[in-house]
Amino acid sequence: MTNSLRVAMIGHGFMGAAHSVGWRQAPAAFDLPLAPAMAVLVGRDADRTAAAAAHWGWSETSDDWRAVVARDDIDVIDIVTPGDSHAEIAVAALAAGKHVLCEKPLANTVAEAERMADAAASAAGLSMVGFTYRRVPAVTLMRDLIAQGRIGAVRQVRASYRQDWLADPESPMTWRLEKDRAGSGSLGDIGAHAIDLTQFVTGQTLDSVSGVLETIVSERPLMGEAVGLGGRAGAGTGTVTVDDLALFTGRLSSGALASFEATRFATGRKNALEIEISGDRGALHWNLEDLNSLHHYDATRPAGTQGFTRILVTEPEHPYLSGWWPTGHMLGYEHGFSHQVKDLVEAIAARTAPAPSFEDGLRVQRVLDAVERSAADGSAWTEV
Ligand code: SOE
């Protein structure tokens, strides 16, 4: 490796852990043109930040992201904080000439996302938004097969992201349930993945939507003093100010219709991001809960021999597999974060624009906003 790429990560919750694994694992799995150095971890609570830095292998800690962004010995700012701080940190980091990786969704509002995309467009540093599921090999393969015409013209898309971590009404308040912190609930947190995935694998954009948003449990217990990851301290209950469930329909730029579900109340579904693309010559289906498998239906096969084929996406010729194990030795959730680091580091070394860009993130933000406007207007069809 030629020279180091010094990284400072701002935040250290669940995504901080996942990004840390990516920064540690990618250089071991792939021959990167630059050597990421996990230089500084930034967090508000000194003790918890120090513990996270020691656990994940960050060299220094700080409680002042502005001071870290201003340092000359930092090249990349990795933002894994709640959405209400993405814009301020990203715009400052880009102005300071840093490369920026920002977690999804890009921001809490379209206005914030526009500011970030504008800053990125004129910045010296490169930028990427963290829709990591694009980087699951089976998803990249799905995109490639559709682009090759293997299922013909896309006629319909079904995308859903179903979790159940809020199905228990006693699950406590967290920042993800507060609009001023998170921007929206299921819609922006996990619906954003379904939107980005649909646009990525089809190569189309969602141009109009009709949706409904529902808050199923409106009051939740505060966590007392035992404030866990993102929990809220205090006695009594807090008010949920975001959606628990989002159902919406979208029309793609080809005119095809797509249906979406984003819910944290799908009892028994733990992390089921699913997408099925129906074409006039076949279909493709993928589920995050079985992430190494891609199911392909080839409608051009002779009658009587048709059926969904399970492609085990672990062959050396499959996307990203060059860095891992022999065929059949499965990848997991965390590998997408290593693939994200690989692609970002290679883009920085080659001075090419990483994808998904902040413009791609803004595109998703516009869809989220249109769903919210539609839901507020009796589910009227709404332009993105
Ligand atoms: C919580 O819903 C969450 O951690 C999301 O924030 C992530 O984006 C998703 O990948 C897993 O679930």
Side-chain angles (χ1 to χ4, degrees):
M1 294 188 195
T2 53
N3 52 4
S4 74
L5 197 64
R6 295 149 304 181
V7 183
M9 185 167 75
I10 302 173
H12 54 80
F14 170 31
M15 280 301 116
H19 282 231
S20 296
V21 170
W23 289 114
R24 289 174 67 122
Q25 201 175 49
F30 300 98
D31 182 14
L32 299 182
L34 297 171
M38 298 168 69
V40 186
L41 182 62
V42 181
R44 284 174 297 187
D45 179 294
D47 292 340
R48 288 173 59 203
T49 306
H55 185 83
W56 293 111
W58 294 88
S59 303
E60 284 180 57
T61 62
S62 169
D63 63 356
D64 183 350
W65 68 262
R66 290 177 180 82
V68 172
V69 161
R71 283 172 53 165
D72 292 336
D73 64 342
I74 293 295
D75 305 300
V76 179
I77 296 294
D78 183 4
I79 304 169
V80 292
T81 57
D84 61 339
S85 56
H86 288 185
E88 184 182 17
I89 298 171
V91 170
L94 289 165
K98 309 304 182 193
H99 305 297
V100 178
L101 171 59
C102 183
E103 254 302 314
K104 44 55 59 184
L106 186 65
N108 281 0
T109 66
V110 167
E112 290 172 350
E114 285 174 337
R115 276 177 48 218
M116 297 168 78
D118 289 348
S122 57
L126 301 174
S127 44
M128 178 193 271
V129 59
F131 286 110
T132 51
Y133 295 126
R134 294 178 168 212
R135 297 186 155 90
V136 173
V139 172
T140 298
L141 180 62
M142 178 186 251
R143 188 274 313 268
D144 295 348
L145 294 177
I146 293 170
Q148 293 162 17
R150 301 290 289 274
I151 64 168
V154 171
R155 294 297 188 220
Q156 190 178 344
V157 176
R158 289 162 209 82
S160 61
Y161 201 151
R162 295 175 291 159
Q163 299 176 336
D164 70 357
W165 58 278
L166 287 178
D168 178 355
E170 292 306 309
S171 294
M173 278 300 288
T174 80
W175 65 266
R176 291 188 190 281
L177 305 180
E178 298 173 14
K179 188 168 183 61
D180 60 339
R181 299 293 312 279
S184 62
S186 280
L187 175 64
D189 180 27
I190 52 180
H193 282 297
I195 293 165
D196 179 69
L197 215 51
T198 297
Q199 298 187 135
F200 173 64
V201 300
T202 63
Q204 300 185 39
T205 56
L206 281 163
D207 296 341
S208 58
V209 295
S210 165
V212 60
L213 301 176
E214 184 84 357
T215 301
I216 298 169
V217 171
S218 54
E219 290 289 321
R220 288 188 177 271
L222 296 174
M223 294 179 80
E225 287 317 306
V227 176
L229 280 183
R232 293 299 300 266
T237 63
T239 301
V240 175
T241 51
V242 296
D243 59 283
D244 290 320
L245 165 63
L247 298 174
F248 56 103
T249 307
R251 190 171 293 277
L252 290 163
S253 39
S254 68
L257 284 173
S259 54
F260 297 87
E261 174 188 8
T263 177
R264 295 152 162 171
F265 278 73
T267 308
R269 299 299 179 193
K270 301 307 174 183
N271 203 25
L273 172 57
E274 278 192 84
I275 186 165
E276 180 164 304
I277 314 288
S278 305
D280 60 4
R281 295 177 55 209
L284 287 162
H285 176 269
W286 176 77
N287 182 347
L288 175 57
E289 290 187 352
D290 179 19
L291 68 83
N292 293 283
S293 302
L294 179 62
H295 298 273
H296 175 221
Y297 185 94
D298 181 351
T300 66
R301 287 182 59 86
T305 68
Q306 298 173 358
F308 271 95
T309 301
R310 176 189 180 221
I311 304 170
L312 192 56
V313 189
T314 60
E315 298 301 315
E317 64 269 18
H318 283 144
Y320 302 104
L321 266 299
S322 60
W324 304 110
W325 320 119
T327 180
H329 294 64
M330 311 302 227
L331 301 191
Y333 167 75
E334 77 280 6
H335 290 82
F337 293 89
S338 291
H339 303 162
Q340 177 170 263
V341 167
K342 171 186 183 291
D343 291 348
L344 177 60
V345 171
E346 289 176 350
I348 289 170
R351 294 297 307 168
T352 54
S357 65
F358 278 16
E359 197 61 37
D360 294 323
L362 171 57
R363 182 76 213 173
V364 171
Q365 208 75 41
R366 293 193 192 285
V367 176
L368 298 174
D369 179 68
V371 173
E372 290 190 294
R373 286 183 283 122
S374 170
D377 184 19
S379 302
W381 271 104
T382 303
E383 293 301 308
V384 171

